Amino acid sequence: MVVGEFGPKDLVVEYTGRKFEPAADLAEQIEKKWAKLGWKRNDNLARLETYGLEEGKLVLTLGETDGKRYVGARDFEYLRKYGFDGIANVLAVSSVVQTADGKILVAKRQKGDAVGAIDGIAGNVSPGEDLFAAAMREVEEETGIDVNELKDGRVIGLVYEYGKDLCHPVMGFVFKTDLTAEQVMSRKTDEEIKVVALDKDEFVSVLLDEKQPMEPDGRLVMQLARRILIRGMTYEKQLLLKPDQI
């Protein structure tokens, strides 16, 4: 959707407080799916309403939804039927981290439907949460790196994950740390993921290995990070897809 490098001052975020209200027939499907799953936890989540580029800044308008509407209204068939504005569009953050010894940290799923899949260090944004803070929070939770040990953070793109039953926007980040990979790997991490430290050749090999399971959004963010961390190149700021083109 958007590529380019954006620092904290290059993000303009407005939280509207608007709640996502699905169409009546979709709301009925959401209730059925939620009842079938039997889940109890239903967190409030930030929802991407609009985005664009204005004078070199990434401008986002964010509303609110919840876990039930997200899980129940994120299928590809619903995206096609109701369009970008008609589904939950929970905003996630996904990061890769470069260590002091040049390794690149990513995540490997340990639980759920995607066990063994490589992914960015990722999670959802809460309503009102600063986006850089959200990304750093997820890195701390999943790797044990304290937020104060992260530096040189920047957004590298806003992408959209297309999946049969998982469609939503993801903001990609890169960070650096003065810790070595060995120091990071010795820390306690989230049980749902395993931290994987890759050198530059391994990082590229994982991306090119068609047999390696990867989360779609993780692949997109890692592809963006490859250009910056491996090739030492930058991205011109560009709006590639408008919401009505998704």
Side-chain angles (χ1 to χ4, degrees), residues 44-136:
N44 289 327
L45 302 168
R47 175 179 186 261
L48 181 63
E49 294 183 340
T50 65
Y51 62 90
L53 281 179
E54 295 181 13
E55 299 181 348
K57 296 184 183 294
L58 179 53
V59 180
L60 307 172
T61 303
L62 303 180
E64 296 183 24
T65 187
D66 56 33
K68 180 170 72 173
R69 287 174 173 82
Y70 171 46
V71 172
R74 62 183 183 182
D75 293 9
F76 184 75
E77 64 175 294
Y78 295 149
L79 174 63
R80 291 279 72 89
K81 181 176 181 179
Y82 300 99
F84 180 86
D85 292 333
I87 66 171
N89 282 325
V90 165
L91 180 62
V93 289
S94 180
S95 304
V96 298
V97 180
Q98 188 171 44
T99 63
D101 51 345
K103 297 296 180 66
I104 301 172
L105 306 180
V106 295
K108 189 172 186 178
R109 295 290 164 190
Q110 300 292 95
K111 292 184 178 181
D113 296 336
V115 171
I118 297 294
D119 197 2
I121 301 165
N124 295 323
V125 179
S126 298
E129 190 174 21
D130 176 86
L131 300 185
F132 274 85
M136 291 188 290

